[in-house]
Structures are given as C-alpha cells and as structure tokens.
Amino acid sequence: MGVYFNPNNESFTCDKNSKIYVDKTGLLEYLNGVLGTNSKCISVSHARRFGKSHAAGMIDAYYSLGCDSTKLFQDTEIATKEDFKKYMNQYNVIHIDVSSFWDSYKENIVEKISEYIVDDIKEVYGEKIDCSKMINSVIMNVYKISNIPFVIIIDEWDCVIRNSEDEALVHKYLQFLHSLFKSEESKAFLALAYITGILPIKKIRDESALNNFREFTMLDSYPITEYYGFTEEEVRKLCGQYEMDFDTVKAWYNGYLIDDMHMYNPNSVSMAMDRHRFDSYWKNTSSFASINTYITMNYAGLKDDIMAMLSGGKVPVNTDTFQNDLSTISSKDDALTALIHLGYLGYDYEEGCAFIPNYEVAKAYQAALNVGSWTEIAKSISRCDELLRATISGNEERVAELIELAHDTYTSVLKYNDENSLSCVLTMAYFTAPGYYNVIREMPAAKGFADFVFIPRANAGKRPAMVVELKYNKSADTAIKQIKEKRYQGALSGYSDKILLVGINYDAEGEDKKKHTCVIEEWNE
C-alpha cells in the first residue's frame, strides 16, 4: 500500500462518510465493461467541481490491491451487480494528481512523477525490480512478476499543457504519457486508464500520446453523463432530506443540459444543503478572470451574444472550431465554446446553442463584470436590487427612471424598438430578481399571456407577487387595464398574499429624457 502505487481507500472513505453523499458507483459498472478492451482509455474533461476527482478516489478504492473495500461498497449501487466482487481490489493501481507536482516541480515534473511512483514500487518489490529503467519498463516488470494488470489514474492530466510554454517540457511530458498508455509494454499491462482535465484533449503537432482515449465532455458525456454532477432526481431527494425548496435550488444550480439530462453543480448543491442557504458557492472555486478574458474579446457579435444570454436567450455556437486550447482563441465561437467547457455556459446539443445555465452562474457574470471593462453594463446591473425594491414599494417614478437608465445602457446592444426588445431590457433590469422570484416570461393566464410574472420563492421573505405588463407607444395605464381585463393576475391564483400589478410603457415619440412611464397598483378582489 502506497501513496501513488496501490493507494488505500481513504479518499473514497472520506467522501462516503461525508454529511452529503450521493452514490455514483454505477460508473464502476461501465468501467468494468471496458476493462482490457479497445475502449479502456477514458478521458473526462468537465468543469471544476463536477465530480471528476471524487470518481478517481472511488476508482482507487474499488480496484486497488492496496486495500480491502468490501465493507465500504456493501451498500452501494455497484454492490447489486453480478460482477461486483470479480473486479474489486484485484488490480495494481497508479494514481497521480499532476497539479500537485506542478506546484513544486515545474522544470523536472516528469522525472519527479516517475521517481515517486518508483519509490512506492520499491517499497513492495525491493531488489526484484530494476528501477533504473524507464517508467513503462518498471511497470512492465511488476506486471511480469505479479501477472496483475494496471489501472492508471491521472487527475489534472492537462495541467502541464495548459500552464507551460516550454515546448521541450510539453514534448517530454507527452512522451511520458505515451509510455503509460500507448507503448508496446502498456498494451500488456494496462487494463484501464482514467484521466481528468479541464479541456478536451488537444493534439499537439504529431504527438499521439492520447489519441486512443474516448472523451467525455461538457458537450457530450453519454453514456456516463449522470455520474458527473447531480441529477434532478438526486437533488429532489436531497431537498426533501434537508427541507430545502426544490424550485429555488433548481433556479440557482440547475441548467447544465448534457445529453438531454439536466445536471446540477454538485459542489454548490451540497454547500446549499449543508449551510441551508442559497448563495453563489461555485464562484469561490473558479477565477472570474476567465469570464472577462473571453467575454471582452473584440470579436464581431460576441458582446451582443453575451447580452442576449444574460437577458435569458440562447445563441447559436459552432463548437467544432475550438482547438481545445485556451491560448488560441480566434473567434466568437471559440470564446463561447471555451466558456461552455469551463462551466460558465450551458450547451443545448440538439439546438447547437449556448445559454446561461442558472442564477448562480449569472451571479458569477455579474461579479466578473464589476471588475471588468464593461463598466456601464456593470453599473446598470448594480442598480437591479434598487429597482426591485422600488417596484415592491410602489415608487413608480423611480422605477421608470431606473428602467430608463437600463434602456440607455442596453439600447446599443439590444435592438430597442418593440415590446420584445423592451422585454429583454426588463429581464436585464431585474437581473437579480431570480434570486428571490421565479420569473416567468409570457406566462399563460386567464385570457392570454402575461408578459412577466414574479412568483416569490421560499427564500423571498414577505416580498409580494407581481404581474408586469409591457407596452410600446401606448401608456402604462393601458398596460394595467389589460392586466385587469384579461385577468393576468389569475396566474397567481394559488398565491394568497400581496399581489402587485405593474404597467410599463416605452414611448418612442416621447420627450428625450422621459420615454418610460410606470404605474403600480396593489390588486384587490
């Protein structure tokens, strides 16, 4: 039992003993099915905190000869499978986290990784192995002596590729990977390879170290999608267990549509359950700089697309042009695709469109914009909470004034000449409202569709429900009259507390400084 060679099951034990644990051992059934086949090399590139390293620890515990995990797995999904015991703790396992080596050994990382693996092997085999040879030869000798194949796990495999500009070092590192996964020796000793990274595999010139890997990404992870992130069913169960409102959890953390499955950020959901409070937890694990780097690139149409998504829309994106390299972004599509892989955008495969997946990510954009170069947009978003308070308090003049300011900010990006564009501007003006409200556009009501309905969430306190109707070149009074005549407030029939009716009009022919008007009434039966 070593740290890098035949590790114990402590990592998975910690996960399983955690207050919040969701069983993902079904992944092992898939891996058992590819052991020793042409599909034995697996590459998982997902956004941070989506369970890649958790799975690595689980793979250790299941396959490693360095432990006995019978009791650890006895109440899991994999334990119900016929071949459960056949593969458990039957393999030599090597597990390396490349990022931990990179922090200390940038210049000689390949030598140090090999040294640490070999040192662990020496502890078991001593003089039986000639440890002066190349790492693949050392592993091959272990295989010849033990007749036990290897499972090799490499976390953050792309750390060197992403961080080094030294071509000689990158080449040496790729040759090292080649020795583990594509050398003649590896054809004999390798039963399974599991590597994780942030980005999909990039081919570097004529290097072929990883071209035999099957890739699972934020674009397409079938058939193992459900094992990276929390499924809707899993989140519902946690909400029941921790007495949290499911609809609010859904608004904050849902939205990653991968292979038609709605996947939730597991780190954020777990933190929300544990702290019993909704917040943007994922932003604390990721750099806002990456958002600003891409959304402020000077590519035609990029700013328009970002604004369209922030206002609730979807935009087409060609993900095929991306070279899986954050340093070679050369188009709007590349920038958007990078944000998809980093988890800052969701992706609808069927429609070929990108979108903001949830309120937590929208808040990350808000925070990024506050320190970025889109100063006017950031300033406008910073006024959203004031707008919401002004609406709730019935301050019609201030609401009209703040929407006017939002109009001035977004008019250069969003074509502002009809009710639909006004609707987009209103979505941006009430940007922070989804933290407290289920905001529904074009909601079916008694005799038509209400433009906006704001339904308070469980965490909304005493905030009222609201129906908002928009008009273009008419009047705010006309909007209120339509709400009443068509009984749009009926959309809130199950809501018994305070209901506000809000009418907003944009008059393109009005005075230059006062094109927006607002009327707010409290609904009384």
Side-chain angles (χ1 to χ4, degrees):
M1 180 178 70
V3 176
Y4 307 102
F5 174 60
N6 284 339
N8 58 31
N9 55 24
E10 287 181 359
S11 175
F12 185 56
T13 299
C14 288
D15 286 336
K16 196 145 183 294
N17 289 341
S18 296
K19 183 178 178 181
I20 297 173
Y21 167 74
V22 174
D23 187 350
K24 296 292 184 179
T25 60
L27 173 64
L28 296 169
E29 183 182 18
Y30 173 81
L31 297 180
N32 287 341
V34 301
L35 283 167
T37 72
N38 289 333
S39 301
K40 64 187 175 185
C41 293
I42 304 296
S43 171
V44 178
S45 56
H46 276 54
R48 294 191 185 279
R49 298 299 184 124
F50 263 77
K52 303 186 299 293
S53 296
H54 163 83
M58 180 178 70
I59 295 168
D60 277 350
Y62 184 69
Y63 290 115
S64 177
L65 279 168
C67 53
D68 180 355
S69 299
T70 304
K71 291 183 179 179
L72 189 59
F73 283 98
Q74 65 184 2
D75 58 349
T76 63
E77 180 183 346
I78 189 62
T80 66
K81 307 304 178 184
E82 184 178 350
D83 290 336
F84 166 55
K85 289 286 187 69
K86 179 179 178 181
Y87 304 104
M88 190 173 64
N89 304 134
Q90 299 297 310
Y91 292 85
N92 284 314
V93 170
I94 291 174
H95 186 165
I96 295 293
D97 180 350
V98 176
S99 63
S100 66
F101 281 88
W102 179 256
D103 292 339
S104 302
Y105 305 114
K106 290 181 174 63
E107 301 303 321
N108 58 342
I109 187 170
V110 172
E111 291 81 3
K112 283 297 180 180
I113 290 175
S114 298
E115 177 185 322
Y116 276 81
I117 295 172
V118 169
D119 283 348
D120 268 6
I121 290 175
K122 282 181 182 179
E123 290 292 323
V124 179
Y125 289 95
E127 300 302 320
K128 295 180 182 179
I129 302 292
D130 181 357
C131 294
S132 65
K133 294 185 176 181
M134 295 286 290
I135 186 66
N136 52 308
S137 295
V138 173
I139 295 173
M140 185 63 187
N141 285 335
V142 172
Y143 173 65
K144 286 179 177 178
I145 292 173
S146 66
N147 200 32
I148 298 173
F150 276 74
V151 171
I152 299 179
I153 304 160
I154 299 186
D155 251 342
E156 300 282 356
W157 81 267
D158 59 342
C159 180
V160 177
I161 311 297
R162 287 185 285 107
N163 293 301
S164 179
E165 296 180 0
D166 184 339
E167 291 189 12
L169 176 61
V170 170
H171 175 74
K172 182 192 293 186
Y173 175 66
L174 289 172
Q175 289 300 105
F176 165 74
L177 296 179
H178 185 280
S179 71
L180 295 179
F181 304 128
K182 291 205 69 181
S183 64
E184 286 301 312
E185 292 92 339
S186 69
K187 292 177 183 178
F189 65 66
L190 185 64
L192 176 70
Y194 175 86
I195 66 173
T196 75
I198 295 175
L199 295 177
I201 294 170
K202 174 182 174 62
K203 183 178 179 181
I204 300 178
R205 294 188 312 206
D206 297 324
E207 302 284 1
S208 61
L210 301 172
N211 65 3
N212 59 327
F213 275 74
R214 183 176 182 185
E215 295 192 70
F216 300 91
T217 74
M218 295 293 283
L219 301 178
D220 182 7
S221 283
Y222 183 83
I224 61 174
T225 309
E226 64 186 288
Y227 304 118
Y228 298 93
F230 286 170
T231 66
E232 194 152 284
E233 181 181 350
E234 290 164 345
V235 174
R236 281 186 184 276
K237 185 176 179 180
L238 287 171
C239 287
Q241 183 179 349
Y242 288 89
E243 298 182 340
M244 295 285 280
D245 180 64
F246 171 72
D247 287 336
T248 306
V249 173
K250 186 173 184 177
W252 272 86
Y253 309 119
N254 180 33
Y256 294 97
L257 188 64
I258 309 174
D259 304 310
D260 291 327
M261 294 187 69
H262 286 271
M263 302 304 296
Y264 291 65
N265 184 314
N267 177 70
S268 299
V269 171
S270 296
M271 292 290 285
M273 299 296 154
D274 184 47
R275 299 189 179 185
H276 218 260
R277 183 167 62 88
F278 298 104
D279 202 346
S280 186
Y281 297 107
W282 187 49
K283 71 181 182 183
N284 297 324
T285 69
S286 303
S287 171
F288 295 149
S290 57
I291 295 181
N292 272 317
T293 296
Y294 303 119
I295 69 175
T296 57
M297 285 181 168
N298 191 28
Y299 295 121
L302 179 58
K303 188 172 185 179
D304 293 19
D305 282 355
I306 295 296
M307 290 305 303
M309 289 186 289
L310 287 174
S311 64
K314 292 183 177 181
V315 298
V317 55
N318 179 3
T319 60
D320 294 334
T321 63
F322 184 55
Q323 297 298 305
N324 301 338
D325 187 341
L326 298 179
S327 65
T328 58
I329 305 296
S330 60
S331 68
K332 177 186 74 171
D333 286 327
D334 285 353
L336 296 177
T337 305
L339 289 168
I340 292 170
H341 286 297
L342 292 170
Y344 289 118
L345 290 177
Y347 181 68
D348 187 324
Y349 186 88
E350 293 299 321
E351 295 185 13
C353 290
F355 56 92
I356 305 291
N358 53 48
Y359 184 62
E360 180 182 42
V361 174
K363 291 283 285 182
Y365 277 87
Q366 178 187 1
L369 290 171
N370 282 335
V371 297
S373 59
W374 291 12
T375 53
E376 289 304 313
I377 290 173
K379 188 183 298 182
S380 183
I381 290 177
S382 71
R383 294 190 286 258
C384 292
D385 285 334
E386 183 187 356
L387 173 61
L388 189 58
R389 290 193 298 270
T391 308
I392 291 171
S393 64
N395 189 339
E396 300 169 340
E397 185 175 341
R398 185 56 177 161
V399 169
E401 182 181 350
L402 289 170
I403 291 174
E404 187 84 33
L405 289 171
H407 164 210
D408 292 341
T409 300
Y410 303 124
T411 189
S412 62
V413 181
L414 301 167
K415 293 181 175 59
Y416 201 88
N417 55 9
D418 56 24
E419 287 181 25
N420 182 58
S421 295
L422 177 58
S423 180
C424 291
V425 169
L426 260 290
T427 299
M428 289 301 300
Y430 286 101
F431 188 78
T432 58
Y436 309 101
Y437 286 93
N438 180 14
V439 183
I440 304 174
R441 291 171 63 171
E442 296 296 322
M443 183 175 180
K447 296 182 178 180
F449 294 84
D451 286 336
F452 282 86
V453 172
F454 290 64
I455 304 174
R457 301 191 187 281
N459 65 325
K462 296 183 179 180
R463 290 176 177 83
M466 298 187 290
V467 179
V468 180
E469 182 65 21
L470 311 176
K471 288 298 175 186
Y472 175 69
N473 279 345
K474 292 182 181 179
S475 72
D477 287 318
T478 302
I480 294 290
K481 182 179 179 181
Q482 181 171 320
I483 293 174
K484 293 177 178 178
E485 288 181 348
K486 296 194 175 183
R487 300 201 298 275
Y488 289 163
Q489 70 277 6
L492 295 165
S493 59
Y495 185 81
S496 58
D497 293 334
K498 185 177 179 180
I499 299 175
L500 295 181
L501 312 183
V502 182
I504 297 171
N505 180 66
Y506 171 68
D507 186 357
E509 305 301 324
E511 297 178 12
D512 288 344
K513 294 184 179 180
K514 289 188 177 180
K515 293 186 175 181
H516 292 84
T517 54
C518 173
V519 173
I520 302 173
E521 293 184 8
E522 183 174 348
W523 169 251
N524 294 303
E525 292 286 354

